[in-house]
């Protein structure tokens, strides 16, 4: 039976982790963790040993994204999903518009729909596999969309929405799998937020947001208005962006962070910068997805889910399989051979596989992966 297929050892990638998050953690990152076992691991996050790491992350991200004047790196606990709620609590003044084209962008929009103190958001939805950008709407004060819709392998342009030049609306971009893997001009955004367990190759649990002066001013105004007599908005401390900003400026977080996550992320940022920065990381991810898409296009049973063009992600590759090649069987064989987390997004329910092609992934491993898939499928057909 197919479950017994053994892929020849010399065909296997060096590292079989191709998940879209959590994604592979490099050995040298893990070594830093081990070397930190007495400090800063297991020590107070209110002391310099940890504060210096937060400072290093903030400085590293400022370099990586070449922050324009006045932009700040802010962080807190809870991951990107937490930032969905922070944006609803502190950045959207009354009404938002959303680009929705997959599970994550849909989740973000639903948070705004559920917030009782916000007006009904305007949703610009596209079928899964396409890119959705919100369009200008009178009265909308925040535009929200994903840079990389991780559930489908679609990337969405990051540009200020035409028509908003003078009205002060904020551009809030979910960059969770994009940050560190896709090119970006941060000046086109007001909040570019992400979690560390995707392209940053670290662990989950934190959110990081790069905020423009306009976003910081908005949070201050919205949070102030929530304290006024008769205000209906409740901003719990954990959702307070101004509290997060204040703490971040002191290289702190509002409550206790996972120090291991901070260490892993810091190490990854330094590694990317040492290799040439964002341009290098972007090119490496594109090299990996090119290998995947070229292979699929040449294959007689695999096809890229997203057609070639600007929407096809260069950091998360989604590949459809022919009906007579069940992805579940291919995935089981791969997993039994140490190649893991290549499943499509469960909610889509399509016969497909999905691969995180973040900076930590070696192009040679992707090449090997394609050979392993071919081997698995040829054995299945026997
Ligand atoms: C993974 C992901 C999230 C959720 O991140 P968490 O850290 O699990 O909250 C949100 N948006 C996108 C685009 C993602 O890829």
């Amino acid at each position: 039976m197919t479950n017994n297929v053994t892929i020849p050892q010399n065909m296997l990638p060096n590292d079989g982790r191709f998940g879209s998050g959590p994604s592979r953690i490099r050995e040298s990152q893990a070594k830093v963790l081990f070397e930190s076992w007495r400090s800063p691991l297991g020590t107070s996050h209110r002391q310099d040993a940890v504060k210096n790491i937060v400072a290093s992350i903030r400085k590293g991200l400022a370099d990586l994204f070449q922050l324009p004047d006045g932009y700040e790196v802010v962080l807190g606990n809870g991951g990107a999903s937490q930032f969905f709620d922070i944006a609803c609590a502190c950045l959207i003044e009354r009404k938002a518009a959303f680009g929705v084209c997959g599970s994550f962008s849909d989740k973000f929009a639903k948070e705004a729909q559920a917030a009782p103190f916000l007006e009904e958001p305007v949703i610009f939805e596209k079928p899964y596999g396409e890119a959705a950008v919100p369009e200008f709407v009178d009265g909308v004060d925040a535009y929200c969309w994903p840079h990389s819709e991780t559930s489908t392998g679609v990337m969405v342009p990051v540009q200020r929405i035409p028509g908003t030049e003078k009205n002060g609306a904020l551009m809030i971009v979910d960059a969770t799998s994009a940050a560190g893997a896709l090119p970006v001009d941060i000046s086109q955004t007001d909040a570019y937020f992400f979690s560390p367990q995707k392209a940053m190759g670290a662990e989950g649990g934190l959110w990081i947001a790069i905020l423009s002066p306009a976003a910081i001013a908005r949070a201050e105004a919205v949070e102030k208005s929530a304290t006024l007599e008769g205000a209906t908005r409740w901003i719990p401390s954990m959702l307070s962006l101004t509290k997060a900003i204040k703490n971040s400026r002191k290289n702190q977080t509002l409550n206790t962070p996972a120090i291991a996550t901070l260490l892993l992320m810091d190490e990854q940022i330094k590694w990317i910068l040492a290799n040439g920065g964002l341009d290098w990381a972007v090119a490496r991810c594109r090299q990996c997805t090119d290998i995947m898409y070229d292979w699929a296009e040449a294959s007689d049973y695999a096809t890229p889910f997203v057609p070639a063009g600007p929407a096809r992600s260069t950091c998360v590759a989604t590949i459809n399989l022919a009906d007579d090649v069940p992805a579940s069987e291919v995935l089981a064989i791969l997993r039994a051979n140490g190649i893991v987390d290549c499943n499509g997004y469960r909610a889509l329910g399509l016969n497909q596989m999905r691969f995180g092609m973040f900076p930590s992934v070696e192009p040679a491993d992707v090449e090997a992966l394609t050979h392993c898939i071919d081997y698995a499928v040829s054995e299945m057909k026997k």
Side-chain angles (χ1 to χ4, degrees):
M1 248 308 288
T2 56
N3 287 344
N4 298 332
V5 172
T6 301
I7 299 173
Q9 201 67 32
N10 63 1
M11 196 181 274
L12 293 171
N14 280 327
D15 191 322
R17 295 172 294 173
F18 295 97
S20 301
S23 62
R24 67 171 72 178
I25 291 173
R26 290 172 305 103
E27 188 177 3
S28 61
Q29 288 172 285
K31 281 193 172 136
V32 167
L33 269 193
F34 183 73
E35 286 156 9
S36 309
W37 75 281
R38 274 175 187 275
S39 176
L41 287 177
T43 70
S44 169
H45 61 296
R46 300 294 180 211
Q47 298 300 322
D48 283 348
V50 175
K51 288 203 257 183
N52 290 342
I53 294 164
V54 175
S56 172
I57 287 171
R58 295 179 66 232
K59 168 78 172 59
L61 290 174
D63 290 348
L64 189 67
F65 292 110
Q66 300 177 8
L67 297 199
D69 279 351
Y71 277 67
E72 293 186 38
V73 177
V74 175
L75 70 168
N77 284 309
S81 304
Q82 172 93 347
F83 199 85
F84 294 165
D85 292 333
I86 293 174
C88 292
C90 309
L91 289 177
I92 303 169
E93 199 172 310
R94 286 182 23 239
K95 185 175 180 157
F98 285 85
V100 172
C101 54
S103 296
F104 291 110
S105 44
D106 185 50
K107 226 168 138 187
F108 191 5
K110 288 209 160 77
E111 294 299 324
Q113 285 171 324
F117 45 81
L118 297 178
E119 289 176 27
E120 192 57 29
V122 189
I123 310 289
F124 293 89
E125 196 163 4
K126 281 282 168 65
Y128 286 10
E130 294 177 27
V133 196
E135 288 164 25
F136 178 82
V137 180
D138 234 359
V140 161
D141 57 72
Y143 293 81
C144 313
W145 71 97
H147 190 184
S148 164
E149 180 42 88
T150 321
S151 65
T152 58
V154 157
M155 54 186 186
V156 186
V158 174
Q159 262 160 14
R160 290 191 177 274
I161 306 300
T164 62
E165 294 81 4
K166 291 207 169 66
N167 76 356
L170 299 181
M171 306 297 131
I172 302 176
V173 177
D174 179 358
T176 303
S177 61
L182 298 184
V184 67
D185 171 0
I186 289 290
S187 72
Q188 299 297 310
T189 71
D190 294 295
Y192 189 73
F193 68 94
F194 53 94
S195 305
Q197 76 276 19
K198 312 235 166 141
M200 290 291 158
E203 286 273 37
L206 281 181
W207 58 261
I208 300 96
I210 296 172
L211 300 178
S212 71
I216 294 168
R218 172 74 67 84
E220 283 165 356
V222 167
E223 292 193 45
K224 184 148 185 255
S225 75
T227 65
L228 300 178
E229 187 81 22
T232 55
R233 189 187 295 244
W234 175 50
I235 304 178
S237 294
M238 282 297 288
L239 299 187
S240 165
L241 190 51
T242 60
K243 283 194 169 70
I245 293 166
K246 270 196 203 117
N247 277 283
S248 298
R249 285 176 179 161
K250 292 184 284 186
N251 297 317
Q252 297 270 277
T253 45
L254 178 68
N255 66 326
T256 317
I259 297 168
T261 306
L262 293 171
L263 284 166
L264 291 168
M265 179 163 58
D266 187 41
E267 186 57 26
Q268 183 78 344
I269 296 165
K270 286 179 178 159
W271 177 71
I272 293 175
L273 286 171
N275 276 295
L278 191 58
D279 289 348
W280 171 80
V282 167
R284 183 168 155 102
C285 298
R286 187 180 295 132
Q287 191 185 348
C288 288
T289 51
D290 277 351
I291 293 169
M292 218 55 226
Y293 295 134
D294 288 350
W295 161 79
E297 267 157 5
S299 161
D300 54 11
Y301 64 88
T303 33
F305 174 51
V306 181
R312 190 157 86 181
S313 174
T314 58
C315 64
V316 175
T318 306
I319 305 291
N320 283 349
L321 299 183
D323 290 345
D324 62 343
V325 182
S328 56
E329 275 185 46
V330 183
L331 291 165
I333 295 173
L334 293 178
R335 182 166 282 277
N337 286 275
I339 299 172
V340 299
D341 301 339
C342 305
N343 42 300
Y345 198 75
R346 56 196 142 73
L348 292 183
L350 297 171
N351 190 37
Q352 61 184 203
M353 300 197 288
R354 184 178 52 136
F355 309 92
M357 303 272 144
F358 301 132
S360 297
V361 172
E362 296 282 343
D365 278 354
V366 178
E367 193 73 56
L369 169 67
T370 61
H371 299 316
C372 292
I373 299 171
D374 280 338
Y375 186 86
V377 172
S378 68
E379 291 295 303
M380 277 164 61
K381 287 186 167 169
K382 272 183 187 164

